[in-house]
């Protein structure tokens, strides 16, 4: 074996590729032979050269083992095949994405040699041949893909070498991504937008170029396993086109493009080129689209792989074609030069996947083919894509000799299928030489109709022939890769590959091609697993387990199929504890059984029936291939019934079909039934049972299996209605009889069933009929009830009339009413609309009674209406007109509408026929009949506002409309009452126009008379009567712009109605009526009925019959526009909307504006929106006009509208410049947001109120202080005119009249004395925050202005937080700089003014403490020379002072209060510190005198108040803390004080300060502070802050105590859920759960606060496993006590626990005492007498049991004493005496025994 190993590593073996330094070596000349071989020797040889000192090996044992195994495999391969071991790359052979050990890659090295003809041989390429695999695929790789599947969310691309990638919908193109974002925004806004459907953008079989974005997805495993293999791709042109510029794109190359726009002549494409070529676009001519892309179906954003067919003349346009039939690089067979193949390109990056190229072969062999493009781009084709295993398909050869087929130096065509980025910046390029890849044909279904046979053959060659999961009985081995797998040929000419892991169920390390089971030529049974059109291979498996497996994929399952499986796991949750079961059908196929499909009956404990590993039988409910979901059912009713119909599609379903379904939802109106697949149906409540079902949920439950039959089905809409009622099947005779029966027939039948409301009858023709109660007799309901009583089952009923058919129940509606039977016999029964004749009398029955009338039914469901006006007078006042359903009625037909097939009836008896009215209309006037156009005499009967009622003759009436009285406007005398001049009985000459129709208010020709007593329409116009004018104004003759005379007919809310003629009616909008608002406000007075108006026609709409008019004449009638109005103008308007925020007022048809609350009144308190109603007419004043934005602001203020001189309380603010800081204003709350409140001061000016400015008090729920539209009063704090910002305060202290507004920089003047606080101190000076300024102003006090003496370092004199008094020295408003001075001399004048007070204070003799406390008041008058330091100020100091910011809102750092030492105003303390002494020239008396200056004023002794009231200010707390720094109670009071001021952060700072200050030994005091901190954060902080403080507290305090305290805090704050979580953390901690108190506290919380006794009781079993055994008994007793104490407890359960304990430990005295104490405690809480008596007996029994036990003398005394106390309190004299007797007996027995103990 050793010899064999040495032979395996000799130099004759193929060797590795040369190293990088060898590649860089200069090439030898053509004629010179390379004398030194560049051979990389084996690992063992390398070991010899680098043998280390000491004889050790550099190889690890594992490496040695790997080398030994490799050598064994190589020797075996050489012995069997006679060939040298092939050097295949691991990545190239990973065809099945299996994890295999990496193999060394060796390439055969070629030497220069001379051929026989003397020409040199081609040098070895050195190109590494590799294939695409998951391991070699990296982010940024580009691949050619084939669309194999499309879902709603992504696209599956088949990639080379059996890889599959996925393109999410968001990675298609930027346009599609934008559409998705728009769609999402529209969904949130509730708008409808067209969805993005990937199936419309792509098609199966489409070729695309993709770029890899990731190769893995995070694992969903909870154990944190490895990431899942998942190749994510993008199709975006910006990513896949490599950032090329336009010049680099060559003709005949491929480029991916997305549709930018769809034009009539073609497509404009987005190419995603580099930024330099961003303006270059692609264009696809309509002719170049091909049959796969119809122009009308192309959408923007659609991505296509296109062939570059040319370039525009200017280089700005690339001509493209997405037609895959033009991609073929095989040529047409005549001239290959026409094939789209790229020979050269300006840059190597232009060679991208999808492009066909010419390749110069530089190496070929069993491992593949290597070559170069353009002599510089190295490409390779692996063993698959070089066609090495293409033999055996039909030529009889086992393999193809690649060296012979692709001779070195020859040129071949190939297509680039992938490119991989290298670490050195170079790219690895893979090509395919296969015919399918070179052709890239379109799918067969997308071929053009005139496609050539060759194109069709190419397309069919790529298509999948064998179905997946199918089995091939004989597949022949044609090529063996010893360590990778087998290439096989299929009987029908296809090629297949079986990976080594898919050959056998047992492990195979090496395959042999010359011997063994899988030698060349052997045949095997295989199963197709997948197909790759790019590889041209079927991937198959020879494993016996795979061949026997029933289902390989989800696609193999059919809906409705019965399958067997094993319970894989249960899904926990829901009420029953199980929401579903996962059933494993086969390897890789798992289905879900929902809870409702676990069983036919509801299971209480499904986990007992469906344990993991149990075999089950199921039926497939649905298969969702897109979501990869499989739903199963385990219901026996659905599985066992093999003959039942499987409804898995709406197609094929017909009414009457029966099937089984599952109720999935119940509603008040019915239920939803689920069948198989996506088939669902609606089960109405009326179809659930033969009887009435009021509540379906009480009769049907979710999950119930029901047998139904189809009532109706709409296949297009996929809707179906089913019924549970029994279906009666009809025989052929019955069906024929059913078709023949119709309304009006008279039939006989036999009574088969009698009910309370109906009678069932079997007819002689075999049909079944029903006679309702009301149809048993004519007349009243009592008659029908009497007839029902006389009916007997089996009785024969003759002469029944058919009145209808019930199609659903197949029943005939019958009637036994004599009137209907008679009408039917006489053929007068109405059974169709054709039977209805006007004027005829008909018999029917009541169908329904409504307020508007009575609906009368006849045969076959014909229904007529009796209006209320046609009901007899005596019936009108009776409820329901005195009629009931099915009651017989006789009616007369009044009118018939043949178009709508409606007719009107009357219950009023008619004399003769209805047409008699026409006879009366033929009245004789003046000896002749009234005719159209006749002029007759008439007498005025009455005068109305809009008409004259006249008499023509006896019984003949007429009317003259007001519009037919006057010929023109001038003829109208009294405009408000034109007809007032006519008197009753006045005679008129009138002309007959027609007959007046009272219903439509129109007049008709006399031939259309319909009324009983017609009213003639007449005209009294002179032009008609005397001149014979026949011109009648109609709507179609009205011209827009013409002037007409109109008369008011009616008033509406927003208009008035006028008549131009009896037939023409129009409307005048209120705003078109007048410009005088006063007139519009009183319409009834100014425009009464009948009043005349002169109007102009605005618009005529003949389609709707609408006529719009205006009463404004001349310039007034021009519609008011925004350009016509101006500020200050007062106009009338109509209120169109009233809301809580104000009014909307319409000024014209096209102009309206808002009136906010602030513009309703001059006094905001008088604002009342209830005064205004819609359509009210108001006067408004235009406040402002914004023409660009087309807006107008209006006001209803009396001062603006009426020019009122009344006082204006709330002045109008028209612009922000009117608002000044300090003003007290009122306004209405406009908005309440998270950052504050916005208050409207006017229509255009709003003010912002910060949260801190809402109230002087701290309010946690600050939003409750205000509400929208609330009237508030506030003070203006600041105004920024430029930024248009107004800051307002609503604090009561600010609103107070004595409030002093904060100052701004403009308010400060030189010489002003201010107070402030030192914010920052530098060596050169101090920055001071000035009090009472807004925004906060800061000034600089240079060190030269601090004291009379020279100050070197200001930091030694002042510190941050010092309160000081300063004088303003200068103010630079423009630069916003303020200079301050602190010298004592600046305040000398103030001190002189107080000399009198100083003298008085001297006499008082008040002692005010140490002199150190008053050094800040020392005078500088002692003669000290003061140098002016300003002259020596450094440049750096000046620069730093110049850069100060005086306007920022600087938050001062928390301080400990005012310093007790004060400040040295003179600087002498600084000098003393520096020099060691002070000036002798300054008398002590001066200092003493000055010390008395302000002592009585600012140093008043408040110690008494402090003791009386406690600390009430920051200084009080600071003073007390100086003496009690370890007092946690005082610190907590200090924190509470800050919280009352809403200073939460300061409270936190105080807590931190307390923790630093309190001594480390004071652990309890520190613990109190930590608890206060947790309280603070729970109340005011967030969860993260609470957790942070809690962890810190646990680190320095007792962790268990902190846990319990936090839980207690949560309980007190009502946050029980978080308290529960803390308790869970406690019991989960090993260090805590050993304490019994922990468990008892948790159980108490669960039973008391959480109201969950079950969980509380479960704590006991957990506790007994965690605590020491000696503590089990006491803890159990305490849990029993919980049952007595807790409101959720059960005392009986507690007694049971105590009984168990006492039984085990009968002498446990503590247990007895605890039990009896609990019973006595319970007794004290009982009020009911019966319960109390029972409780007393319980206690008494316990005492008796205790005394019966063995006890010591001392114990007995204790027990009897307590028992006696109990009886004295709760019992009576007898029970007390009994206790004494028992005690005496016990003592006697004890004495008798003579011992301390006594047995029972």
């Amino acid at each position: 074996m050793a010899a064999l190993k040495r032979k395996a590593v000799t130099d004759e073996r193929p060797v590795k590729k040369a190293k990088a330094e060898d590649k860089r070596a200069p090439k030898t000349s053509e004629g010179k032979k390379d004398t030194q071989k560049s051979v990389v020797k084996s690992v063992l040889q390398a070991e010899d050269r680098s043998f280390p000192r000491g004889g050790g090996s550099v190889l690890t044992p594992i490496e040695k083992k790997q080398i030994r195994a490799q050598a064994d495999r190589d020797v075996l391969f050489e012995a069997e095949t006679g060939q040298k071991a092939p050097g295949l790359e691991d990545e190239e052979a990973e065809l099945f994405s299996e994890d295999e050990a990496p193999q060394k890659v060796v390439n055969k090295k070629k030497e220069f040699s001379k051929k026989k003809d003397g020409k040199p041989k081609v040098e070895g390429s050195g190109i590494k041949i590799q294939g695409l695999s998951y391991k070699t695929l990296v982010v940024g790789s580009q691949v050619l893909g084939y669309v194999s599947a499309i879902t709603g969310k992504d696209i599956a691309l088949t990639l080379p070498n059996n890889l599959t990638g996925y393109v999410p919908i968001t990675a298609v193109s930027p346009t599609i991504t934008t559409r998705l974002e728009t769609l999402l925004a529209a969904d949130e806004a509730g708008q409808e937008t067209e969805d993005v459907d990937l199936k419309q953008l792509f098609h199966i079989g489409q070729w695309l170029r993709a770029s890899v974005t990731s190769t893995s997805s995070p694992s969903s495993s909870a154990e944190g396993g490895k990431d899942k293999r998942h190749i994510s791709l993008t199709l975006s042109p910006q990513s896949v086109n490599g950032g090329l510029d336009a010049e680099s794109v060559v003709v005949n190359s491929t480029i991916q493009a997305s549709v930018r726009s769809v034009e009539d002549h073609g497509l404009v494409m987005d190419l995603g080129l580099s930024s330099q070529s961003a303006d270059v676009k692609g264009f696809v001519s309509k002719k170049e689209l091909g049959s796969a892309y119809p122009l009308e179906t192309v959408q923007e954003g659609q991505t296509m792989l296109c062939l570059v067919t040319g370039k525009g003349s200017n280089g700005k346009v690339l001509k493209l074609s997405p037609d895959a039939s033009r991609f073929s690089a095989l040529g047409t067979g005549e001239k290959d030069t026409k094939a789209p193949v790229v020979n050269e390109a300006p840059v190597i990056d232009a060679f991208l996947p999808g492009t066909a190229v010419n390749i110069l072969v530089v190496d070929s062999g069993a491992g593949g083919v290597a070559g170069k493009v353009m002599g510089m781009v190295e490409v390779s084709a692996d063993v698959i894509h070089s066609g090495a295993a293409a033999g055996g398909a039909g030529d009889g050869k086992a393999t193809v000799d690649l060296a012979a087929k692709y001779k070195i130096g020859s040129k071949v065509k190939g297509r680039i299928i992938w490119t991989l980025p290298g670490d050195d910046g170079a790219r690895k390029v893979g090509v395919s030489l296969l015919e399918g890849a070179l052709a890239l044909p379109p799918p067969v279904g997308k071929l053009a109709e005139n496609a050539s046979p060759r194109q069709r053959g190419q397309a069919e060659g790529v298509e999948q022939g064998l179905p997946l999961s199918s089995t091939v009985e004989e597949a022949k081995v044609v090529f063996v890769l010893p360590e990778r797998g087998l290439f096989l040929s299929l009987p029908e000419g296809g090629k297949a590959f079986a990976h080594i892991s898919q050959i056998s169920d047992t492990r195979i390390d090496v395959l042999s091609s010359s011997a063994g089971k899988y030698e060349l030529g052997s045949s095997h049974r295989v199963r197709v697993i997948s197909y790759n059109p790019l590889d041209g291979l079927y991937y198959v498996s020879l494993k016996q387990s795979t061949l026997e497996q029933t289902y390989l994929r989800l696609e193999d399952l059919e809906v409705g199929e019965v399958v067997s499986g094993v319970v894989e796991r249960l899904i926990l949750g829901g009420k029953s504890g199980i929401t579903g079961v996962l059933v494993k059908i086969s390897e890789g196929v798992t289905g879900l059984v929902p809870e409702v499909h676990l069983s036919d009956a509801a299971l209480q404990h499904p986990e007992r029936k469906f344990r993991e590993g149990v075999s089950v039988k199921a039926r497939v409910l649905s298969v969702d291939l897109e979501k990869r979901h499989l739903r199963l059912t385990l219901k026996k009713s659905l599985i066992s019934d093999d003959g039942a119909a499987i409804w898995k599609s709406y197609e094929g379903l017909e009414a009457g079909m029966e099937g089984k379904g599952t109720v999935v939802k119940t509603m008040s109106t019915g239920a939803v039934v689920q069948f198989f697949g996506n088939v669902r149906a609606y089960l109405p409540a009326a179809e659930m049972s033969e009887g009435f079902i009021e509540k379906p949920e009480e009769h049907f439950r979710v999950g119930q299996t029901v047998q139904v039959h189809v009532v109706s089905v709409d296949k297009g809409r996929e809707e179906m209605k089913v019924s549970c009622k029994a279906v009666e099947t009809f025989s052929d005779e019955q069906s024929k009889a059913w078709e023949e029966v119709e309304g009006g027939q008279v039939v006989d039948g036999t009574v088969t069933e009698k009910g309370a409301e109906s009678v069932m009858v079997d007819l002689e023709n075999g049909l079944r009929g029903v006679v309702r109660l009301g149809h048993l007799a004519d007349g009243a309901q009592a008659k029908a009830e009497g007839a029902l009583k006389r009916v007997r089952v089996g009785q024969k009923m003759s002469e029944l009339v058919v009145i209808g058919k019930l199609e659903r129940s197949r029943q005939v509606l019958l009637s036994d009413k004599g009137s209907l039977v008679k009408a039917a016999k006489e053929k007068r029964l109405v059974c169709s609309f054709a039977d209805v004749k006007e004027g005829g009398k008909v018999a029917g029955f009541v169908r329904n009674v409504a307020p508007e009338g009575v609906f009368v039914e006849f045969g076959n469901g014909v229904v007529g209406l009796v209006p209320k006006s046609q009901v007899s007078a005596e019936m009108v006042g009776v409820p329901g007109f005195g009629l009931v359903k099915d009651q017989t009625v006789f009616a007369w037909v009044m009118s018939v509408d043949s178009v709508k097939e409606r007719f009107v009836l009357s219950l009023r008896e008619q004399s003769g026929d209805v047409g008699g009215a026409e006879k009366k209309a033929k009245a004789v006037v003046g000896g002749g009949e009234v005719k159209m156009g006749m002029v007759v005499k008439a007498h005025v009967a009455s005068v109305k506002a809009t008409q004259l009622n006249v008499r023509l003759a006896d019984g003949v009436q007429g009317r003259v409309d007001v519009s037919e009285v006057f010929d023109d406007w001038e003829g109208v005398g009294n405009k408000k009452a034109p007809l007032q001049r006519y008197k009753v009985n006045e005679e008129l000459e009138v002309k007959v126009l027609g007959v007046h129709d009272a219903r439509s208010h129109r007049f008709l020709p006399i031939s259309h008379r319909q009324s009983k007593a017609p009213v003639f329409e007449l005209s009294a116009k002179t032009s008609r009567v005397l001149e014979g004018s026949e011109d009648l104004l109609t709507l179609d003759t009205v011209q827009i712009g013409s002037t007409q005379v109109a008369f008011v007919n009616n008033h509406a809310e927003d208009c008035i109605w006028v008549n131009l003629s009896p037939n023409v009616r129009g409307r005048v909008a209120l705003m078109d009526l007048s410009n005088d608002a006063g007139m519009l406000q009183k319409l009834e007075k100014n425009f009464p009925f009948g009043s005349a108006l002169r109007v102009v026609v605005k618009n005529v709409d003949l389609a709707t019959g609408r006529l719009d008019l205006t009463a404004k004449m001349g310039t007034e009638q021009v519609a008011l526009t925004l350009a016509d109005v101006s500020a200050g103008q007062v106009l009338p308007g109509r209120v169109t909307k009233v809301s809580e925020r104000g009014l909307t007022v319409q000024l014209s048809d096209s102009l309206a504006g808002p009136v906010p609350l602030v513009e309703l009144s001059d006094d905001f308190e008088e604002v009342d929106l209830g005064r205004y109603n819609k359509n009210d007419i108001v006067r408004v004043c235009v406040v402002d006009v914004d023409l660009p934005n087309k807006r107008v602001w209006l006001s209803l203020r009396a001062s603006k509208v009426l020019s009122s001189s009344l006082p204006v309380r709330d002045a109008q603010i028209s612009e922000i410049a009117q608002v000044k800081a300090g003003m007290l204003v009122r306004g209405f709350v406009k908005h309440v947001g998270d950052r504050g409140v916005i208050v409207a001061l006017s229509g255009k000016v709003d003010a912002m109120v910060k949260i801190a400015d809402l109230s002087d008090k701290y309010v946690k729920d600050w939003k409750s202080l205000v509400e929208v539209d609330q009237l508030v009063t506030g003070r203006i704090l600041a105004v920024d005119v430029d930024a248009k910002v107004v800051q307002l305060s609503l604090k009561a202290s600010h609103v107070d009249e004595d409030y002093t507004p904060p100052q701004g920089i403009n308010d400060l003047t030189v010489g002003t004395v201010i107070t402030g606080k030192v914010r920052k101190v530098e060596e050169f000076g101090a920055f001071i925050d000035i009090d009472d300024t807004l925004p906060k102003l800061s000034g600089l006090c240079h060190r030269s202005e601090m004291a009379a003496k020279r100050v070197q370092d200001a930091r030694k004199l002042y510190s941050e937080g010092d309160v000081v008094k300063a004088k303003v020295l200068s103010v630079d408003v423009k630069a916003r700089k303020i200079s301050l001075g602190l010298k004592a001399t600046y305040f000398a004048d103030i001190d002189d003014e107080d000399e009198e007070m100083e003298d008085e204070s001297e006499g008082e003799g008040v002692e005010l403490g140490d002199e150190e406390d008053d050094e800040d008041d020392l005078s500088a008058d002692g003669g000290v020379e003061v140098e002016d330091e300003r002259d020596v100020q450094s440049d750096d100091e000046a620069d730093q002072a110049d850069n100060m910011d005086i306007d920022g809102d600087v938050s001062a750092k928390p301080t400990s209060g005012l310093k007790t030492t004060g400040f040295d105003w003179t600087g002498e303390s600084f000098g003393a510190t520096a020099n060691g002494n002070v000036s002798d020239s300054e008398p002590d008396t001066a200092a003493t005198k000055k010390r008395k200056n302000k002592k009585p004023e600012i140093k008043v002794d408040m110690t008494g108040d402090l003791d009386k009231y406690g600390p009430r200010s920051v200084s009080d707390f600071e003073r007390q803390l100086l003496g009690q720094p370890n007092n946690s109670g005082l610190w907590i009071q200090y924190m509470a004080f800050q919280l009352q001021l809403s200073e939460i952060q300061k409270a936190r700072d105080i807590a931190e300060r307390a923790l630093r200050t309190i001594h480390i030994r004071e652990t309890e005091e520190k613990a109190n502070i930590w608890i206060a901190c947790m309280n603070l954060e729970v109340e005011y902080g967030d969860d993260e802050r609470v957790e942070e403080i809690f962890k810190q507290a646990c680190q320095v305090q007792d962790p268990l105590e902190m846990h319990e305290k936090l839980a207690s805090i949560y309980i007190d704050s009502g946050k029980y859920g978080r308290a529960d979580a803390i308790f869970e953390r406690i019991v989960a901690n090993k260090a805590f759960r050993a304490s019994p108190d922990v468990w008892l506290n948790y159980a108490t919380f669960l039973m008391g606060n959480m109201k969950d006794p079950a969980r509380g009781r479960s704590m006991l079993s957990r506790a007994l496993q965690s605590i020491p055994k000696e503590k089990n008994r006491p803890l159990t007793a305490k849990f029993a006590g919980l049952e007595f104490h807790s409101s959720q407890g059960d005392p009986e359960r507690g007694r049971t626990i105590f009984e168990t304990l006492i039984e085990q430990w009968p002498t446990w005295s503590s247990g007895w005492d605890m039990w009896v104490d609990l019973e006595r405690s319970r007794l004290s809480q009982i009020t009911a007498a019966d319960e109390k008596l029972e409780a007393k007996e319980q206690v008494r029994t316990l005492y008796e049991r205790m005394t019966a036990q063995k006890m010591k003398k001392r114990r007995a005394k204790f027990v009897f004493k307590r028992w006696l106390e109990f009886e004295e309190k709760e019992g009576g004299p007898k029970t007390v005496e009994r206790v004494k007797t028992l005690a005496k007996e016990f003592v006697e027995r004890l004495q008798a025994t003579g011992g301390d103990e006594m047995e029972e």
Side-chain angles (χ1 to χ4, degrees), residues 765-833:
N765 55 10
L767 300 179
R768 197 172 191 188
V770 59
V771 184
R772 296 199 295 257
L773 175 62
H775 282 276
L776 288 175
D778 285 318
Q781 185 79 2
K783 290 186 179 181
E785 292 174 356
L788 180 63
K789 292 178 182 179
R790 294 191 295 269
V791 173
R792 297 289 181 265
V793 176
Q795 172 185 343
K796 185 174 182 180
M797 299 183 70
S798 59
E799 294 188 347
L800 299 175
V801 62
V802 178
I803 58 174
K805 293 191 296 185
L806 299 176
E807 293 288 345
R808 185 175 300 174
S809 58
R810 295 297 180 95
Q811 292 177 343
V812 180
L813 281 176
L814 304 171
S815 178
D816 198 18
K817 291 178 178 288
S819 59
L820 299 183
V821 173
K822 181 181 179 182
K825 289 181 176 180
E826 297 175 357
K827 305 298 183 182
R828 292 188 297 102
L829 181 64
V830 175
C831 293
S832 64
F833 184 76

Side-chain angles (χ1 to χ4, degrees), residues 885-1109:
K885 186 177 180 180
D886 290 337
Q887 182 176 341
T888 306
V889 293
F890 293 93
W892 285 262
V893 181
M894 299 296 297
S895 63
V896 180
D897 187 347
S898 302
V899 177
K900 297 181 179 179
E901 292 192 350
R902 296 176 182 175
F903 55 98
V904 178
L905 305 172
S906 175
L907 296 182
R908 295 183 178 181
E909 187 172 355
Q910 307 293 316
S911 58
D913 60 349
V914 182
E918 188 174 348
K919 298 177 182 178
K920 292 187 177 181
K922 295 180 179 179
V924 177
V925 181
E929 182 183 349
V930 177
K931 296 182 180 179
M932 187 81 166
M934 179 184 295
V935 176
V936 296
K937 298 286 185 180
H939 292 82
V940 177
S942 62
V943 180
K944 303 296 183 183
T946 59
Q947 68 181 26
L948 296 174
N949 293 329
V950 299
R951 296 188 303 271
L952 300 180
D954 293 338
V956 181
Q957 300 177 354
R959 67 181 291 274
V960 182
D961 189 81
V962 65
S963 60
E964 287 296 326
V965 175
F966 307 98
D967 282 310
D968 50 29
W969 174 253
E970 288 74 14
V972 182
N974 187 348
K975 300 296 192 288
K976 286 191 175 181
L979 299 180
Q980 205 172 38
R981 68 180 188 179
Y982 294 96
K983 306 299 181 184
V984 177
N985 292 325
E986 182 178 350
E987 187 178 79
L988 300 174
E989 278 192 350
V990 295
K991 187 174 185 177
V992 180
L993 300 178
V995 179
H996 177 69
D997 186 357
R999 287 179 298 177
S1000 63
H1001 301 286
R1002 299 290 188 270
F1003 70 85
L1004 304 171
I1006 294 178
S1007 59
H1008 284 72
R1009 301 173 190 169
Q1010 293 183 359
S1011 62
K1012 184 176 179 181
V1015 177
F1016 290 98
E1017 190 72 44
L1018 308 171
S1019 174
K1021 284 186 176 181
T1022 306
S1023 59
R1024 299 196 193 279
V1025 176
L1026 301 180
E1027 300 175 7
S1029 174
E1030 298 295 336
D1031 294 334
L1032 291 176
L1033 186 65
T1034 58
L1035 190 61
D1036 56 348
T1037 61
V1038 177
Q1039 299 297 323
I1040 297 177
S1042 62
T1043 303
Q1044 303 287 343
V1045 179
F1047 299 89
V1048 178
N1049 178 268
N1050 198 1
H1051 294 157
E1053 290 184 349
D1054 58 346
C1055 66
I1056 65 170
W1057 292 94
V1058 297
N1059 278 359
L1060 275 64
S1061 73
N1063 270 359
V1064 178
R1065 195 178 187 203
R1067 62 189 298 275
V1068 182
L1070 294 183
M1071 301 314 300
D1072 289 330
L1073 199 55
S1074 175
N1075 287 331
D1076 190 345
M1079 294 184 66
L1080 298 178
Q1081 289 172 346
K1082 299 178 181 179
L1083 280 179
E1084 292 80 2
K1085 178 181 178 182
N1086 297 307
F1087 302 96
F1089 290 168
S1091 58
L1093 294 175
R1094 187 160 51 177
V1095 297
V1096 176
V1097 180
K1098 288 177 60 178
N1099 186 38
V1100 180
D1101 189 346
L1102 295 177
T1104 60
R1106 174 165 174 167
L1107 176 62
D1108 291 321
L1109 309 168

Side-chain angles (χ1 to χ4, degrees), residues 512-569:
S512 172
S513 60
S514 59
K517 185 178 180 181
Y518 306 104
E519 63 181 351
L520 288 174
S522 60
S523 297
H524 303 275
R525 187 168 179 256
V526 299
R527 192 166 186 180
V528 179
I529 297 176
S530 64
Y531 174 73
N532 192 312
L534 264 172
D535 302 339
L537 289 176
Y538 290 95
Y539 289 86
V540 298
S541 175
L542 283 69
K543 295 170 67 173
Q544 190 64 29
S545 59
T546 304
L547 292 170
E548 295 175 354
Q549 187 171 331
T550 308
Y551 307 105
L552 290 181
R553 307 173 306 139
L554 203 58
E555 288 82 354
D556 299 339
L557 289 161
E558 290 186 5
V559 175
E561 186 177 1
V562 177
V563 296
S564 298
V566 177
V567 175
E568 189 175 53
R569 67 183 178 93

Side-chain angles (χ1 to χ4, degrees), residues 11 33 38 220 326 395 473 492 571 704 872 1235 1544 1559 1742:
D11 290 346
K33 186 175 180 179
S38 177
S220 60
R326 299 192 55 179
D395 54 7
E473 296 299 329
E492 297 181 359
I571 302 176
Q704 179 178 347
S872 59
R1235 301 176 62 182
I1544 299 173
H1559 198 277
L1742 281 179

